[in-house]
Amino acid sequence: MSEAMLSKVRKLLAQAEDPACTPAEAAAFTAKATELIARYGVDRALLAARDPATDPVGDRVVDVVAPYARDKAGLLAAVADPLRCRCVRRHEGSGFAMHLFGFASDLERVDLLFTSLLVQAAHGLAGTVVPPGEHPAAFRRSWLAGFARVVGERLRTAETVAAAERDASSVALVLADRSDRVARRVAEVYPRLRTAPTRRLAGSGFHAGAAAGQRADLGGSGVVGGPAKERGIAR
């Protein structure tokens, strides 16, 4: 991502996080940051269609550590999928090594967003009271599931809108081809890949997490070019 674009996104993030900012203002800043990230993805895809060397298919490994490693890995997958990246979860110690595949520009966007969203999720959980009588870990796992679900939906919507602003038919073909190429790369590296079973969560925090996901800033604040830095979430 260009320094000019990154600067715009960081400014929007800072404005949205300002304590003096009203909920309506924060929502407006969030929407603009998300729009910029999505437009950037479409622009890079169209450029790469003309000159593939500008945006090659690649991969990177992101370490996701305890506590709540499985839930944070779910958040990473929720960010990666709408941005046309695929991730393979591998157990590593008490956490996971998430092997991400995608075009360079899309991996860059995933890295940027995931790093920021981990921090926002940690802040959100810290400010949410666990209901009396409920196990804190169960509540927080379901909270994180709701947060990840809504973030993924918002990203998917932003990507759809950004593509529709261009020649919809040509953009759709370019993006579909990129998704297919990423899928082929995953199959080459993991020819016997299996889908993980669906988790069943008992906590009641899903709706509170979903509400936090609606408020989350999707502009991101991480450093582009390196692996996402893991941030902790309170036990």
Side-chain angles (χ1 to χ4, degrees):
M1 182 174 293
S2 70
E3 284 301 319
M5 178 70 79
L6 182 58
S7 177
K8 289 181 181 179
V9 169
R10 282 176 168 164
K11 288 178 180 177
L12 289 165
L13 176 63
Q15 288 172 305
E17 292 181 345
D18 188 336
C21 189
T22 68
E25 290 170 338
F29 292 137
T30 297
K32 185 60 178 179
T34 308
E35 176 187 337
L36 291 175
I37 288 286
R39 285 180 175 176
Y40 171 76
V42 172
D43 288 345
R44 286 300 301 269
L46 294 176
L47 176 62
R50 297 190 295 271
D51 184 2
T54 64
D55 199 16
V57 177
D59 66 296
R60 65 179 62 178
V61 175
V62 177
D63 293 324
V64 179
V65 301
Y68 306 108
R70 187 182 298 272
D71 308 285
K72 289 184 281 190
L75 175 60
L76 177 55
V79 172
D81 187 63
L83 304 188
R84 295 176 293 281
C85 293
R86 296 281 300 276
C87 53
V88 177
R89 190 181 69 196
R90 304 188 314 229
H91 283 280
E92 189 170 279
S94 60
F96 298 95
M98 299 292 286
H99 196 172
L100 268 64
F101 295 83
F103 283 80
S105 64
D106 293 330
L107 289 172
E108 181 181 61
R109 295 192 299 153
V110 171
D111 191 5
L112 185 69
L113 289 168
F114 179 58
T115 301
S116 176
L117 287 167
L118 276 178
V119 176
Q120 295 183 57
H123 290 165
L125 275 175
T128 302
V129 177
V130 178
E134 184 162 355
H135 194 285
F139 177 85
R140 289 170 181 146
R141 289 190 184 99
S142 61
W143 190 101
L144 287 165
F147 184 83
R149 169 79 65 83
V150 170
V151 162
E153 291 172 350
R154 289 178 60 198
L155 289 173
R156 196 174 301 281
T157 298
E159 293 292 307
T160 300
V161 171
E165 291 176 345
R166 302 299 184 88
D167 183 344
S169 58
S170 62
V171 172
L173 289 174
V174 168
L175 298 183
D177 178 68
R178 285 166 72 89
S179 295
D180 289 343
R181 290 176 61 186
V182 172
R184 289 198 297 270
R185 180 67 176 274
V186 174
E188 290 171 1
V189 179
Y190 296 98
R192 298 181 180 179
L193 191 63
R194 294 181 296 177
T195 302
T198 302
R199 294 181 73 197
R200 294 183 179 276
L201 298 172
S204 66
F206 185 91
H207 293 297
Q214 287 287 0
R215 296 189 299 269
D217 189 295
L218 303 186
S221 60
V223 177
V224 175
K229 296 180 179 179
E230 181 58 30
R231 307 298 180 93
I233 290 180
R235 295 177 184 275

